[in-house]
Amino acid sequence: MAKRVQLDNVDHQHLRVVDHPSGEQSVNQALVVPSEFENLQREFPILFRRDAEGGFQSVVILGLDRGENLFLGGGRWTSRYVPATLRRGPFFLAVGDHEQGGDPAVVIDLEDPRISEKDGQPLFLPHGGAAPFLQQAVEALRTVHEGLELGRAMFALFGELDLIAPVEIDIDLGEGTRYHLPDLFTVGAEQFGALSAAGLERLNRAGLLAAAVHVRSSLGNMNRLVELKTAKLASAADA
């Protein structure tokens, strides 16, 4: 059971976090935000899916089977970039609990198995300042917090411009091994190509033209995903 409390440099001075991929990173999809798209599109396919309320959210595809992250190997990430939602560690932002006009409070889950007093990365420096690991985790939290608002604006504009199109991904690895990824969406090639000058200008003025291009270009990373999965299956067969 989670035990989330506000992080404090006195009460939690001696806490450490074991910095290696955890169970929450063994996922085949991860939530991402538009401010990450430039880095993400070099590594992963970026797609859209419906959330529980019927709106859209951005995800990257990390594997083909449930609970499979093909970018984890030897206890570390093999990609050059890790999505912010998977970099935040056992930390959260208490958005509703901070004072008016202040920054959201950083909350830590004391029951997270990565928390230790002996092993891992320290959270605080000897004199109380945030250690590099904590700084990086807080940066990831802020990326997600600010990016979610940008994501809502992005999907609203993409919807107005009729850019979102369904895409079904079918992968045949041979010998009867096939994968079908349903209920996914992308920036449609035809829709993007048919944008008027006014539509392109709206995207550009909103700072979202690059995001649309990054989503389109990221689809080529499905080939990389297939290569990683093929290599994994071959390695398992040889074992």
Side-chain angles (χ1 to χ4, degrees):
M1 181 179 295
K3 182 180 179 181
R4 298 181 181 179
V5 299
Q6 185 170 334
L7 188 64
D8 184 271
N9 64 352
V10 175
D11 294 340
H12 306 129
Q13 179 182 3
H14 302 297
L15 290 187
R16 293 172 173 264
V17 173
V18 178
D19 184 22
H20 59 70
S22 63
E24 71 171 10
Q25 297 183 349
S26 296
V27 291
N28 65 342
Q29 295 184 18
L31 180 70
V32 296
V33 294
S35 53
E36 301 180 276
F37 283 6
E38 182 175 0
N39 289 317
L40 293 168
Q41 57 92 25
R42 301 187 182 105
E43 305 278 346
F44 319 104
I46 305 170
L47 292 158
F48 309 143
R49 70 183 183 195
R50 295 281 190 183
D51 60 23
E53 286 73 41
F56 285 105
Q57 57 186 192
S58 307
V59 296
V60 287
I61 308 299
L62 303 174
L64 299 178
D65 286 306
R66 183 179 296 275
E68 175 184 64
N69 185 341
L70 293 169
F71 297 89
L72 290 180
R76 64 182 182 86
W77 280 82
T78 59
S79 59
R80 292 164 293 181
Y81 183 81
V82 178
T85 54
L86 301 182
R87 280 190 284 118
R88 62 175 175 79
F91 305 101
F92 305 85
L93 284 183
V95 178
D97 295 338
H98 62 288
E99 296 180 2
Q100 186 71 26
D103 292 331
V106 177
V107 171
I108 186 171
D109 179 7
L110 295 178
E111 296 298 322
D112 191 289
R114 290 169 289 184
I115 298 296
S116 172
E117 292 191 358
K118 297 180 179 179
D119 303 316
Q121 301 287 339
L123 299 184
F124 296 102
L125 299 172
H127 299 294
F133 178 83
L134 179 57
Q135 293 176 8
Q136 293 169 13
V138 171
E139 179 185 358
L141 287 171
R142 287 173 176 161
T143 295
V144 175
H145 176 61
E146 296 169 2
L148 288 174
E149 182 175 352
L150 178 60
R152 287 187 286 269
M154 180 187 76
F155 284 121
L157 184 53
F158 282 7
E160 289 179 31
L161 298 175
D162 197 28
L163 288 178
I164 301 174
V167 58
E168 294 198 8
I169 299 174
D170 292 290
I171 298 171
D172 187 348
L173 299 180
E175 300 183 357
T177 304
R178 296 183 176 86
Y179 291 92
H180 175 67
L181 306 183
D183 305 320
L184 294 170
F185 301 79
T186 186
V187 172
E190 292 184 7
Q191 290 87 338
F192 188 70
L195 271 177
S196 65
L200 286 169
E201 177 63 17
R202 287 188 66 190
L203 279 176
N204 190 47
R205 290 177 66 86
L208 293 169
L209 179 57
V213 173
H214 292 327
V215 171
R216 290 295 314 159
S217 65
S218 77
L219 296 180
N221 290 321
M222 286 303 305
N223 294 329
R224 174 61 175 156
L225 209 65
V226 170
E227 291 174 359
L228 291 171
K229 182 63 174 180
T230 300
K232 180 180 178 180
L233 293 174
S235 178
D238 292 339

